[in-house]
Amino acid sequence: LRSDADTSTPTASDAVDLGRVVSEAVAALEATICERGGEVVVAGAMPRVAGDATALFRVVENLVQNGLKFAPAGQAPRVTVQARAEGGRVILDVQDNGTGFSLEDRRRVFSPGVRGEAAGRAEGEGLGLDTVRRLVAGMDGTVDLPECASGALVRVTLRAA
């Protein structure tokens, strides 16, 4: 992986081992996971994607970190990361047991500086999901917040390698 100092625009031209990127992002967050008494579960095999390894690392790290940050008071955070190939695309789902997004939040949290209603006093400036959206768009992908029964689900769709 390239360093955070690399400011090149992500491209969708490299074949990236998504499993390796997810493992590295989770390892980078190990101190936070332990500090919050959380758990990150990587479910199943991860397909290869067309993209930029550094940008994907930042995407996964940001989404997992959000999942750890927004757990309800008194509850240990749990984040599940899974991916599947579907018709030339790879769907990466990051789901948590946190406070989730209201319908109104799902419409606006991808704007810079906007935080969801449930963010409360959690650290951050509302830039994470905007950053994720921009990085994923640079790899010809999309980011969605589908409804889910509890917590938050962030779905990233990228081209398969």
Side-chain angles (χ1 to χ4, degrees):
L1 294 178
R2 292 187 296 265
S3 74
D4 284 342
D6 182 1
T7 58
S8 62
T9 303
T11 64
S13 60
D14 297 333
V16 179
D17 180 346
L18 185 57
R20 184 174 139 243
V21 170
V22 168
S23 293
E24 289 176 357
V26 171
L29 292 168
E30 191 61 37
T32 302
I33 294 166
C34 290
E35 173 185 302
R36 299 194 178 176
E39 175 184 25
V40 177
V41 176
V42 179
M46 299 280 154
R48 295 180 70 80
V49 298
D52 175 89
T54 300
L56 281 169
F57 176 89
R58 289 182 62 202
V59 165
V60 173
E61 181 183 44
N62 196 306
L63 295 176
V64 171
Q65 194 166 38
N66 277 354
L68 295 168
K69 185 188 311 184
F70 295 111
Q75 188 173 356
R78 184 172 201 273
V79 180
T80 303
V81 182
Q82 56 189 359
R84 67 188 181 281
E86 239 179 56
R89 306 294 281 175
V90 171
I91 316 283
L92 171 68
D93 285 342
V94 179
Q95 186 164 9
D96 63 50
N97 65 339
T99 52
F101 296 101
S102 69
L103 182 58
E104 175 69 22
D105 283 349
R106 286 198 306 265
R107 293 185 180 126
R108 59 188 198 93
V109 292
F110 289 108
S111 299
V114 174
R115 294 168 47 111
E117 294 170 8
R121 294 188 174 165
E123 62 197 52
E125 298 172 16
L127 299 174
L129 288 176
D130 174 58
T131 299
V132 166
R133 181 192 52 80
R134 285 185 297 106
L135 290 169
V136 170
M139 294 180 283
D140 298 324
T142 60
V143 182
D144 297 299
L145 299 172
E147 271 191 70
C148 61
S150 64
L153 170 61
V154 181
R155 178 164 290 152
V156 175
T157 304
L158 298 163
R159 289 185 307 140

